[in-house]
Amino acid sequence: MKRSGPGPLDRVFRGLVPVLGAFLLNGCSSLGYYAQLGEGQWQLLRARQPVEKVLADPASNAQLRARLQHAEQARVFASEQLKLPDNDSYRVYADLGRPYVVWNVFATPELSLQPVTHCFPIAGCVAYRGYYRQGAARGAAALMREQGMDVYVGGVEAYSTLGWFDDPILSSMVAWGDERLATLIFHELAHQRVYVQDDTEFNESFATFVEQEGTRQWRVARGLAADQGDQGQQREQFIRLVLASRERLQAIYVGPLDDAHKRVAKQAEFERLRREYRQVRDSQWAGDKRYDAWMYGPMSNAKLLPFGLYDQWVPAFAAVFREVGGDWARFYERVEVLGRLPADERKAALMSWGRFAPHRG
């Protein structure tokens, strides 16, 4: 289905796809999966061409040229003002001929919010698997459902190879508009700046904070209001509703009910989430239905999973940023120190700065 503007939830599905595993692992059981990773990454690399070449080509679409010019400005801003890596990433362009670069498959047990993780030598363990073909992602999801898992598939606009390759601006990135393109560049470059193996929540929350704060500064630099107004407030309210639902589900799953009653309580919680969403939408958003498609589609633990990964520690990183006086270089130094801590100590430190507080209704 063609969309005329950015999907409000697309951000929660993007991230790092561990393509390097294709070159470092072998074994018949995973050969097909790693082969498609290697083939997909190779096709993407072959499709790259310098942005300046696309801009100079008179046959290039006028809208594409305008978006790439804007991206060039955002790329310079990322390195000069946000102190993100100054390399050839996002200075090349690749036309994919499809709406997403990969599709990520998220999965949890039926009565748990714990993600099914997948481990790779360079990327470490991550809470999803990426597929370059939508059909392959749906096939993998169907097999996991047959095993009794909760599964969700989400399209990915962009991902980072952590600086191993010059990551391109993708046609899937330019479709959404100038500001969205800039935020994607900020997010993905943040993964190149700091990345901690085996901690998806840390990595994605960090990159999300860099994206959000970087976008605020980018807007101010262009003479715009720092925040996105009602749209930003609605997104934050929506995230709080989902995180509150996750907390209630967690309480159900660790509680004393037997599995049959937990399943009933699980479905009741999904209906509560929809009911609370309708109340907020109709009373505070003047009936804005931007999240309706997500909310009224099939619901599962896995569908709620990305919110805990991408938003959980954003307030903690915001607190660190304030503590260093908004100095990006010092901020990254502090984040690197956090990243070197043992996992339990790292989580405790983040909690001391704060996490995304769920809505209390």
Side-chain angles (χ1 to χ4, degrees):
M1 179 176 67
K2 184 177 180 180
R3 288 182 283 184
S4 59
L9 296 173
D10 285 332
R11 178 184 59 78
V12 303
F13 304 126
R14 76 172 177 275
L16 177 132
V17 175
V19 296
L20 299 174
F23 305 103
L24 299 175
L25 290 183
N26 53 46
C28 295
S29 62
S30 297
L31 184 59
Y33 176 71
Y34 291 113
Q36 68 91 25
L37 285 181
E39 180 183 1
Q41 178 64 34
W42 176 241
Q43 290 176 350
L44 189 152
L45 293 175
R46 289 180 61 190
R48 296 177 305 174
Q49 54 182 320
V51 167
E52 58 189 24
K53 180 178 179 181
V54 180
L55 293 175
D57 185 352
S60 295
N61 178 276
Q63 184 182 61
L64 173 61
R65 287 203 301 269
R67 292 275 163 80
L68 291 180
Q69 287 170 343
H70 182 86
E72 281 192 315
Q73 297 168 5
R75 183 64 184 83
V76 171
F77 184 86
S79 294
E80 292 185 353
Q81 302 301 321
L82 308 183
K83 308 305 179 186
L84 290 167
D86 188 5
N87 53 31
D88 286 334
S89 287
Y90 309 108
R91 291 187 166 108
V92 290
Y93 172 74
D95 190 340
L96 298 173
R98 58 182 187 268
Y100 297 107
V101 58
V102 293
W103 286 261
N104 277 351
V105 179
F106 298 88
T108 71
E110 179 191 11
L111 298 174
S112 172
L113 290 167
Q114 197 65 28
V116 175
T117 58
H118 308 274
C119 299
F120 304 86
I122 299 234
C125 297
V126 295
Y128 45 80
R129 259 193 169 192
Y131 294 82
Y132 283 89
R133 291 185 295 107
Q134 187 178 27
R138 289 177 172 175
L143 290 174
M144 298 184 83
R145 288 193 186 96
E146 288 182 0
Q147 298 169 11
M149 297 287 183
D150 272 18
V151 185
Y152 187 66
V153 179
V156 176
E157 301 163 296
Y159 64 82
S160 173
T161 59
L162 306 181
W164 284 83
F165 302 106
D166 296 331
D167 295 322
I169 298 169
L170 302 170
S171 53
S172 54
M173 297 167 63
V174 302
W176 299 125
D178 291 342
E179 185 161 301
R180 176 66 169 160
L181 177 55
T183 65
L184 286 167
I185 290 171
F186 301 157
H187 184 104
E188 302 308 335
L189 284 173
H191 284 310
Q192 292 189 20
R193 185 63 182 78
V194 179
Y195 183 81
V196 177
Q197 279 200 354
D198 306 333
D199 197 335
T200 304
E201 289 182 357
F202 181 93
N203 294 323
E204 296 302 344
S205 293
F206 161 71
T208 296
F209 168 75
V210 173
E211 166 193 327
Q212 292 178 357
E213 179 59 29
T215 299
R216 281 192 285 270
Q217 295 188 16
W218 174 235
R219 288 177 64 87
V220 170
R222 292 182 295 135
L224 302 175
D227 295 314
Q228 293 178 306
D230 291 344
Q231 184 176 341
Q233 293 175 9
Q234 290 175 11
R235 182 174 61 248
E236 182 170 319
Q237 285 179 301
F238 183 83
I239 290 171
R240 290 183 188 279
L241 286 172
V242 175
L243 290 179
S245 184
R246 281 172 49 90
E247 285 204 349
R248 292 191 296 266
L249 283 168
Q250 180 65 21
I252 291 169
Y253 297 148
V254 301
L257 296 176
D258 60 30
D259 285 356
H261 286 89
K262 285 181 180 179
R263 291 187 183 99
V264 173
K266 172 184 176 180
Q267 296 306 315
E269 174 53 42
F270 290 151
E271 287 308 310
R272 175 179 174 176
L273 173 59
R274 291 184 173 117
R275 184 171 63 253
E276 292 185 348
Y277 164 75
R278 285 194 299 271
Q279 292 171 349
V280 171
R281 181 198 66 189
D282 296 340
S283 64
Q284 300 182 40
W285 300 355
D288 189 320
K289 298 182 179 181
R290 70 180 64 241
Y291 296 105
D292 277 19
W294 186 93
M295 185 61 70
Y296 294 116
M299 196 69 74
S300 69
N301 296 326
K303 191 172 185 177
L304 273 57
L305 179 61
F307 291 87
L309 300 175
Y310 284 74
D311 299 289
Q312 183 84 338
W313 302 119
V314 171
F317 288 112
V320 174
F321 190 73
R322 290 193 299 270
E323 198 169 278
V324 298
D327 184 311
W328 283 105
R330 291 177 58 203
F331 170 69
Y332 298 135
E333 290 173 0
R334 293 288 296 275
V335 173
E336 287 171 343
V337 170
L338 279 170
R340 289 193 290 268
L341 293 174
D344 290 345
E345 292 182 30
R346 182 165 61 245
K347 185 172 182 178
L350 289 168
M351 290 190 70
S352 72
W353 275 301
R355 61 176 180 170
F356 216 114
H359 168 78
R360 301 299 182 185

